[in-house]
Amino acid sequence: MPSEIRSRSWPWVAIGVSVAVALSLAIVSPADTVQGELVRIMYVHVPAAWLAYLAFTVTLVGSGGYLVTRRLSWDRVAASSAEIGVYFTGLAIGLGMIWAKPTWGVWWTWDARLTLTAVMFFVYVGYLALRNTADDSRVRAGRSAVLGILGAALIPLVHFSVVWWRTLHQPASLLRPDGPAIEDPLILWALLAGVVAFTVIYVALMVKRIELHQVADSIRDFERSADRPVAGASVTAPQLGGGLGDE
Amino acid sequence: MSFVIELHDIGVDAGSMSILRGVDLEVGPGEILGLFGPNGAGKTTLLRLVATLVRPSAGTGSVLGTDLSSQQRYAIRRRIGMIGHVPGLYPELTLGENLEFAARVAGVSRDEVGSALAAVGLAGVIDREAGVSSHGMQRRAEFARELMIDRDLLLLDEPHSALDQDAVELVNALVKKIAAEGGAVILVSHDRERVARIADRTVELTEGTLE
Amino acid sequence: MSFVIELHDIGVDAGSMSILRGVDLEVGPGEILGLFGPNGAGKTTLLRLVATLVRPSAGTGSVLGTDLSSQQRYAIRRRIGMIGHVPGLYPELTLGENLEFAARVAGVSRDEVGSALAAVGLAGVIDREAGVSSHGMQRRAEFARELMIDRDLLLLDEPHSALDQDAVELVNALVKKIAAEGGAVILVSHDRERVARIADRTVELTEGTLE
Amino acid sequence: MNAGFRSQVAAVVERDLRRERRRGDVVWVTIPFGAMALFLLPLAIGVDTQLLQRIGPGMYWVVVMLFGVLVSVGRASIETGAQRDAVSLLGLDPAAAYVGRSMSAAGLLLVYEIVVGVVAVVLYNIEVIGFPWLVLTLVITAVGLGLLGSLAASLVSSSSAGSALVPLLVAPLSVPLLLGATQVYEGLRLGRSILPWMLLMVVVMLVTAIVGVGTARPLQET
Amino acid sequence: MNAGFRSQVAAVVERDLRRERRRGDVVWVTIPFGAMALFLLPLAIGVDTQLLQRIGPGMYWVVVMLFGVLVSVGRASIETGAQRDAVSLLGLDPAAAYVGRSMSAAGLLLVYEIVVGVVAVVLYNIEVIGFPWLVLTLVITAVGLGLLGSLAASLVSSSSAGSALVPLLVAPLSVPLLLGATQVYEGLRLGRSILPWMLLMVVVMLVTAIVGVGTARPLQET
Ligand code: HEM
Ligand SMILES: Nc1ncnc2c1ncn2[C@@H]1O[C@H](COP(=O)(O)OP(=O)(O)OP(=O)(O)O)[C@@H](O)[C@H]1O
Ligand SMILES: Nc1ncnc2c1ncn2[C@@H]1O[C@H](COP(=O)(O)OP(=O)(O)OP(=O)(O)O)[C@@H](O)[C@H]1O
Ligand SMILES: [Mg+2]
Ligand SMILES: [Mg+2]
């Protein structure tokens, strides 16, 4: 069935193409006058951070959607997006740390953006942890939706932190009110290609993750319908003779 | 009028086990139902299900005309009284303060507290903290609460345990009053004779299933 | 042999009030005593006094030959069993783990846990956490504990509540066994008929005083 | 029918404050522990008056945040299942319960802030400046933390993992409050504008309140 | 007859660790709280890497002390009256109970110290020096705090006014431990003699142990 093969393989094709374009642009783009080749970390670091924003925004939408419609499909969207967002945040932090060592001389400092990014990371790790505690799917959906909404408040905080606290981290150079401040168009294109590639990866992962959630839910439903032991059946009448012997 | 409680093929799961399975039950207005069954059969779980405190994982049901799976079920809680195995008073508050809290939340005048406690014979200990009140006194206070808040459905888990003879009479009077006003009562007990004297009908729950 | 319990003019105070006053009681070896009384009379307090968990503020008394005011009273605790109004198991531990802990502290072989739980009909739920076991199951587990640790004195606060018919028979058997071995048992209950069937003698506690 | 929203809130506040007073947890455990933390620190890092004066305000706010959350956690874990069942069947509006719990927590936190604040001022020789603004900051943080702690407590209550997750959920979310509070003080000291920080704190407080109240009813799943 | 002292201690330790594992309080509350405290502090006092490096070890020990004691006190407050009665009637030797509770607390504290220590090292860029001595310090403080916390906890449960006494009792006794621990690190860093400080900590530990074991039976008044 070729159509099925096609429908199964589209994500891989899309990821392959976009990653190839992004990689080649990242390689041909010029090295930085100050940072040299290190600047190429940016092409992964920045898209990862932006995709984390996107992912957590989708979690916000999914959480709100669940609370309004009470449909578990919204919850699956929120949860899947949060998982991917945590990966992307971790990637941005990890690469940022690798970048920081040669440029700032330390792995980590108490820069506002760094701190708030870590805070955001912890909030969504907490979100995933919370999802693991409740066994009823509706209880879980409701509770995590609250956190999904609350956590989204951190997105603007992380983004504007460089404006509010002027410490170490690079200020916004692209997403800012008076237009991008990058002169070399190739750098701009490489960055954009990276963003596109990450977006494709994000969408593909989302589709897969939602599918997985669906399968997991239906497996649970199936198990539920199957014969399970009855809790009360294991309690039997006392054996009067047993421990008491001397009747 | 339709049924106060109507359960069809209800199941309740916990983890990898079923607690209740395929429970059908109908209780009409004015009815007093005795519920028996061995330890661990699921009687308490059934009461909590009817009180909207446990959600069914299978089947359909309605209580006081409200579907058990709908969001509206929270609106009927005010009309359902339950007394469980263990008292649910705040030990740091006095018996009077406990009832006063209940009255204010339920929208009953605070003046009712005194007379409700007097009715269960606790007028003299209104200022005693629940934590140092005897077990029977705490249970009496809970009955006073149910008396004070006019309930349409009363769920009693072994109401006679820990109550002395006088208090038992009182409980029976409360049960009959609610039934007479068109409400329904479920009495869980292991004391078949005592319940048989007051119940209109009795059912038996064994291994999560009603017979 | 002398008395198992011997109380002379015992009083117990709490804050500015007396809970017990002028209590005289003698219980001999092999005796099963039924203790009645209205709610709040002081029955539970009397049991805890006899179990050395409450100290007399007046009078003298001895239990299992040990003065209730002496420091040695802690040494006899191992021989006194008590089951109170509310289960005292650790909810996070399974029923089996709860009993295993009791066995190790009391110096009983751990192998007894399985047979004790089997005797009360809980062999199948040995790995269920106490916190998710039904009230009756928890009480049964407590009886299993008393069964496992050979007690010389057993104090039961409304032992029949929460137990189904089968389990009640078990309690009666346990009580008789301890009495037959020369121990003593006090049964607190509001169910006079049931207790009368098994007790050798009954006393009535009213307003902190025995009649 | 049900009591009005306001009288339910009042009932909850009164219940909480009464229980707290009788238990004495805040007065006898939380406050002394907070004071102890401030007292132990100079011992541990060495007594350098200038240094202490510099890190004093920050220390103070960290202690307030941490113990503030502990108040909510402790309170959630002392509630038994039977108590929860009984309250649910009184028809208590979850939103009223949330508001009431947050308000009583905020009240206790304010007391805590003031007592521990006096200790901090004495021990660290902190300058008290910009009085009306400081008071406002204290109130906003107390309310914000109360709202946040109650929200977290309601998220995990009755779940099997118990109060386990509360700190994990609250601590990161309280960071903006902490930042705001410290920066207001810093701004007052250096004569910088404090409005953006005040705004940040108010926004966090409002967002928490709206989310908390708005989700209280849908959250009530069991 | 009664079980031996050692098997009672073992039973208590096993019970405590099992309950702790199922509740997850230490893993999910204490450790994240400690880590959070270390994480929030720099935010509050401003980012100065050198300063942080300097106060880091002191901060670490304060956090360990405070939460170490909270572990024990929290544990005491989750015990119900019925549970206490039942355990007493098993003939549990109060001294064995005390030793067992202290040992399980010490074990948990050691885990806590290590995890939070790693966090502190990473966040504050603390140098790890004098490895064997540091390990010894960690063990001694864990045991000392375990003993101290359990003593405090037994006061809490033995009288209603008890909880009021806890901080008063614990704070002065934990100061020598805190001083010892920080000075050992300081001494290692500067190449000074650490023996007097080690000795101080060991003495405090022993005194607490003797007082705790010695008063366990008389304390058990009810
Ligand atoms: C652990 C360390 C780091 C973390 C957590 C981090 C985090 C972030 C985040 C969250 C963003 C997205 C900001 C937004 O657009 O709203 C970002 C962007 C950026 N980061 Fe980092 N970063 C780290 C280290 C670094 C280092 C060491 C450099 C370079 C010296 C760097 C350079 C940049 C640049 C140039 C941007 C794009 C800014 C823009 O165009 O808006 N980052 N970083
Ligand atoms: N610490 C205390 N302070 C004040 N009063 C107390 C205290 N402890 C117990 N009481 C009172 O002592 C009386 C006796 O209590 P106890 O629990 O012994 O009664 P009981 O006979 O077991 O009653 P029940 O049948 O209800 O179980 C009660 O009125 C109780 O309120
Ligand atoms: N969360 C849970 N996980 C596993 N089993 C559970 C859970 N909750 C309840 N059970 C089991 O469900 C069964 C029914 O419990 P329930 O308390 O309803 O019994 P009951 O009929 O009231 O018994 P009793 O007469 O002892 O009060 C018990 O076997 C109990 O162990
Ligand atoms: Mg039951
Ligand atoms: Mg009693």
Side-chain angles (χ1 to χ4, degrees):
Chain A
M1 277 169 271
S3 71
E4 192 172 289
I5 291 168
R6 225 179 302 133
S7 78
R8 283 233 184 107
S9 55
W10 73 260
W12 304 114
V13 174
I15 289 176
V17 170
S18 53
V19 167
V21 171
L23 260 183
S24 42
L25 274 170
I27 289 168
V28 301
S29 73
D32 190 75
T33 42
V34 188
Q35 298 197 355
E37 304 294 335
L38 275 176
V39 78
R40 296 186 207 288
I41 293 180
M42 178 177 74
Y43 302 129
V44 189
H45 173 70
V46 178
W50 288 351
L51 260 295
Y53 293 168
L54 174 69
F56 295 145
T57 310
V58 172
T59 299
L60 167 73
V61 173
S63 303
Y66 172 75
L67 286 183
V68 173
T69 64
R70 307 247 130 210
R71 284 232 284 278
L72 283 176
S73 49
W74 282 109
D75 178 57
R76 286 195 279 266
V77 169
S80 310
S81 197
E83 284 173 18
I84 301 167
V86 166
Y87 288 128
F88 281 148
T89 316
L91 191 62
I93 293 176
L95 285 169
M97 287 173 76
I98 292 171
W99 202 357
K101 186 63 183 167
T103 45
W104 301 337
V106 286
W107 295 106
W108 188 263
T109 89
W110 295 102
D111 171 87
R113 167 164 285 172
L114 269 54
T115 307
L116 286 171
T117 311
V119 165
M120 183 166 82
F121 181 72
F122 283 131
V123 167
Y124 286 95
V125 169
Y127 174 94
L128 297 181
L130 181 66
R131 292 190 68 86
N132 274 332
T133 60
D135 28 42
D136 182 301
S137 53
R138 291 197 173 272
V139 172
R140 184 178 65 197
R143 289 181 174 167
S144 46
V146 177
L147 208 56
I149 294 172
L150 212 55
L154 280 166
I155 298 173
L157 219 56
V158 173
H159 179 67
F160 290 114
S161 55
V162 277
V163 184
W164 293 340
W165 297 268
R166 307 249 17 196
T167 43
L168 256 185
H169 194 277
Q170 240 76 357
S173 42
L174 211 61
L175 296 179
R176 55 184 216 167
D178 43 354
I182 295 177
E183 301 95 49
D184 196 317
L186 210 51
I187 293 181
L188 206 64
W189 282 114
L191 203 52
L192 282 182
V195 173
V196 170
F198 268 76
T199 312
V200 172
I201 293 174
Y202 169 76
V203 172
L205 284 178
M206 275 297 277
V207 171
K208 285 287 160 206
R209 200 63 195 94
I210 292 173
E211 265 175 22
L212 264 180
H213 274 300
Q214 269 163 348
V215 172
D217 284 357
S218 45
I219 287 176
R220 222 190 16 246
D221 288 346
F222 175 75
E223 278 177 349
R224 182 150 290 168
S225 62
D227 239 16
R228 353 168 89 203
V230 175
S234 323
V235 181
T236 51
Q239 307 161 356
L240 283 178
L244 298 163
D246 54 335
E247 279 311 277
Chain B
M1 215 189 118
S2 63
F3 292 110
V4 178
I5 303 172
E6 222 176 330
L7 306 179
H8 294 299
D9 201 23
I10 284 277
V12 171
D13 294 343
S16 60
M17 280 192 284
S18 300
I19 301 179
L20 297 179
R21 183 180 290 175
V23 169
D24 290 297
L25 181 67
E26 284 165 356
V27 180
E31 194 167 0
I32 300 173
L33 180 77
L35 178 59
F36 301 131
N39 291 139
K43 303 179 296 297
T44 300
T45 308
L46 183 55
L47 288 196
R48 296 188 75 236
L49 174 102
V50 169
T52 76
L53 299 171
V54 165
R55 259 163 20 118
S57 41
T60 58
S62 74
V63 170
L64 294 168
T66 306
D67 194 294
L68 275 182
S69 311
S70 76
Q71 283 293 314
Q72 278 68 48
R73 69 184 188 279
Y74 305 119
I76 55 164
R77 288 190 171 171
R78 162 72 177 66
R79 298 166 60 197
I80 304 173
M82 186 169 81
I83 295 186
H85 287 291
V86 179
L89 304 173
Y90 298 111
E92 303 89 0
L93 302 189
T94 64
L95 298 176
E97 286 165 351
N98 266 294
L99 257 79
E100 204 181 290
F101 171 71
R104 289 175 73 185
V105 171
V108 172
S109 158
R110 281 198 233 185
D111 308 335
E112 310 259 317
V113 170
S115 57
L117 279 177
V120 298
L122 293 179
V125 290
I126 193 163
D127 290 327
R128 193 164 298 175
E129 286 177 21
V132 299
S133 300
S134 81
H135 197 69
M137 286 159 68
Q138 293 186 50
R139 300 222 101 188
R140 285 184 184 215
E142 293 199 300
F143 277 104
R145 182 186 66 209
E146 304 310 323
L147 207 64
M148 178 178 75
I149 307 172
D150 249 328
R151 308 282 203 177
D152 296 327
L153 173 58
L154 191 60
L155 308 168
L156 302 177
D157 216 344
E158 302 202 58
H160 304 304
S161 86
L163 290 182
D164 60 26
Q165 217 63 49
D166 298 343
V168 166
E169 294 305 320
L170 193 101
V171 171
N172 291 349
L174 173 62
V175 165
K176 279 182 189 141
K177 171 174 166 259
I178 288 182
E181 289 169 356
V185 180
I186 303 186
L187 281 170
V188 170
S189 183
H190 297 290
D191 193 338
R192 280 155 202 275
E193 294 158 37
R194 225 181 215 162
V195 169
R197 250 176 271 148
I198 178 171
D200 299 319
R201 177 165 68 102
T202 64
V203 290
E204 184 93 21
L205 186 74
T206 327
E207 296 184 7
T209 315
L210 274 183
E211 276 145 36
Chain C
M1 216 187 120
S2 63
F3 291 112
V4 177
I5 303 172
E6 222 176 329
L7 305 180
H8 294 299
D9 201 22
I10 285 277
V12 171
D13 294 345
S16 59
M17 278 189 288
S18 299
I19 302 178
L20 297 179
R21 185 178 291 170
V23 171
D24 291 297
L25 182 67
E26 284 165 357
V27 181
E31 194 168 0
I32 301 173
L33 179 78
L35 177 60
F36 301 133
N39 291 139
K43 304 181 294 298
T44 300
T45 308
L46 183 55
L47 288 195
R48 294 187 77 237
L49 173 101
V50 169
T52 77
L53 298 170
V54 165
R55 253 154 37 117
S57 42
T60 59
S62 75
V63 170
L64 293 169
T66 305
D67 193 292
L68 275 181
S69 311
S70 76
Q71 282 295 315
Q72 278 68 51
R73 68 186 190 277
Y74 303 121
I76 55 166
R77 288 190 171 169
R78 161 72 177 68
R79 297 165 61 196
I80 305 173
M82 185 169 83
I83 296 185
H85 287 293
V86 179
L89 304 173
Y90 298 111
E92 304 91 358
L93 302 187
T94 65
L95 298 176
E97 286 165 352
N98 267 292
L99 260 79
E100 205 181 290
F101 171 70
R104 288 175 74 185
V105 172
V108 171
S109 157
R110 284 198 231 184
D111 308 335
E112 310 261 315
V113 170
S115 56
L117 280 176
V120 300
L122 294 179
V125 291
I126 191 163
D127 290 327
R128 195 167 296 176
E129 285 177 21
V132 299
S133 300
S134 80
H135 197 68
M137 287 159 67
Q138 293 186 49
R139 298 222 103 189
R140 285 185 185 207
E142 293 199 300
F143 277 103
R145 183 186 65 210
E146 304 309 323
L147 206 63
M148 180 178 75
I149 307 172
D150 250 329
R151 308 282 201 179
D152 295 326
L153 173 57
L154 191 60
L155 308 167
L156 303 177
D157 217 346
E158 301 202 57
H160 303 303
S161 85
L163 289 181
D164 61 26
Q165 217 65 47
D166 298 336
V168 165
E169 296 303 321
L170 176 92
V171 174
N172 293 348
L174 173 62
V175 165
K176 281 183 190 141
K177 172 175 166 255
I178 288 181
E181 288 169 358
V185 179
I186 302 186
L187 280 170
V188 170
S189 184
H190 297 292
D191 193 338
R192 282 156 199 275
E193 294 159 38
R194 228 181 215 161
V195 170
R197 249 176 271 146
I198 179 172
D200 299 319
R201 178 164 69 103
T202 64
V203 291
E204 186 94 20
L205 187 74
T206 326
E207 296 183 9
T209 314
L210 273 184
E211 277 146 34
Chain D
M1 259 334 312
N2 273 27
F5 187 83
R6 278 174 53 197
S7 95
Q8 288 199 338
V9 169
V12 171
V13 170
E14 202 187 22
R15 173 200 66 180
D16 285 351
L17 292 182
R18 266 195 182 134
R19 293 189 73 191
E20 210 74 51
R21 203 179 60 217
R22 305 263 164 83
R23 295 177 65 91
D25 279 355
V26 166
V27 175
W28 291 112
V29 179
T30 315
I31 290 181
F33 262 99
M36 197 171 120
L38 292 178
F39 173 78
L40 289 181
L41 198 81
L43 290 180
I45 65 176
V47 186
D48 170 344
T49 324
Q50 272 201 316
L51 174 66
L52 289 182
Q53 203 169 1
R54 183 175 151 202
I55 65 170
M59 276 303 304
Y60 168 72
W61 283 114
V62 171
V63 167
V64 165
M65 296 285 142
L66 287 178
F67 287 92
V69 177
L70 278 185
V71 168
S72 312
V73 178
R75 197 188 273 180
S77 70
I78 57 167
E79 190 117 286
T80 68
Q83 286 165 353
R84 260 200 301 275
D85 283 359
V87 174
S88 300
L89 293 180
L90 293 174
L92 177 58
D93 180 346
Y98 174 68
V99 173
R101 259 187 281 121
S102 304
M103 276 174 58
S104 57
L108 291 169
L109 272 168
L110 204 57
V111 173
Y112 174 72
E113 281 181 343
I114 290 168
V115 176
V116 177
V118 170
V119 174
V121 166
V122 171
L123 284 185
Y124 295 83
N125 203 10
I126 300 172
E127 245 182 306
V128 182
I129 40 176
F131 204 66
W133 291 109
L134 272 192
V135 172
L136 196 62
T137 314
L138 288 180
V139 173
I140 294 179
T141 41
V143 175
L145 277 178
L147 288 163
L148 207 52
S150 308
L151 182 60
S154 72
L155 281 185
V156 293
S157 76
S158 85
S159 89
S160 57
S163 54
L165 277 171
V166 180
L168 202 62
L169 302 179
V170 175
L173 285 171
S174 63
V175 166
L177 282 177
L178 178 71
L179 280 177
T182 50
Q183 294 299 321
V184 163
Y185 181 80
E186 205 61 8
L188 285 173
R189 209 166 54 86
L190 303 175
R192 290 207 218 109
S193 161
I194 57 167
L195 235 73
W197 298 111
M198 281 283 173
L199 214 67
L200 174 67
M201 282 166 38
V202 172
V203 167
V204 168
M205 190 183 81
L206 286 182
V207 168
T208 316
I210 292 168
V211 172
V213 174
T215 58
R217 272 167 241 191
L219 247 186
Q220 186 190 37
E221 278 299 349
T222 43
Chain E
M1 261 333 313
N2 273 25
F5 188 84
R6 280 177 49 200
S7 97
Q8 288 199 336
V9 170
V12 171
V13 170
E14 201 186 24
R15 173 201 67 181
D16 284 351
L17 294 181
R18 265 194 183 133
R19 293 188 74 189
E20 209 75 50
R21 203 181 57 217
R22 304 263 163 82
R23 297 177 65 91
D25 277 356
V26 166
V27 175
W28 289 110
V29 179
T30 317
I31 290 181
F33 252 108
M36 270 303 157
L38 291 179
F39 178 79
L40 291 182
L41 198 84
L43 280 186
I45 64 176
V47 185
D48 173 343
T49 321
Q50 271 199 315
L51 173 67
L52 289 180
Q53 203 168 358
R54 184 177 149 202
I55 65 170
M59 278 302 304
Y60 168 73
W61 284 116
V62 170
V63 167
V64 165
M65 298 283 144
L66 284 179
F67 287 93
V69 178
L70 279 183
V71 167
S72 310
V73 176
R75 196 191 274 178
S77 71
I78 59 167
E79 189 116 287
T80 67
Q83 286 166 354
R84 261 200 300 276
D85 283 359
V87 174
S88 299
L89 292 180
L90 293 174
L92 178 58
D93 180 346
Y98 175 68
V99 173
R101 258 188 280 122
S102 304
M103 276 174 59
S104 58
L108 291 168
L109 271 168
L110 204 58
V111 173
Y112 174 71
E113 282 181 342
I114 291 168
V115 175
V116 176
V118 170
V119 174
V121 166
V122 171
L123 287 184
Y124 293 84
N125 208 8
I126 299 173
E127 242 183 306
V128 181
I129 40 176
F131 204 67
W133 293 110
L134 273 191
V135 172
L136 196 60
T137 315
L138 288 180
V139 172
I140 293 178
T141 40
V143 174
L145 279 176
L147 288 164
L148 200 54
S150 306
L151 184 58
S154 65
L155 282 183
V156 174
S157 51
S158 67
S159 75
S160 59
S163 56
L165 287 172
V166 176
L168 287 180
L169 175 90
V170 172
L173 279 174
S174 61
V175 166
L177 280 179
L178 179 71
L179 277 180
T182 50
Q183 291 304 321
V184 164
Y185 180 80
E186 204 62 3
L188 286 173
R189 210 167 54 85
L190 303 175
R192 290 208 217 107
S193 163
I194 58 168
L195 236 73
W197 297 111
M198 279 285 176
L199 215 66
L200 172 68
M201 284 167 41
V202 171
V203 168
V204 169
M205 189 182 84
L206 287 181
V207 168
T208 317
I210 291 168
V211 171
V213 173
T215 58
R217 274 169 237 190
L219 248 184
Q220 185 195 35
E221 271 310 338
T222 46

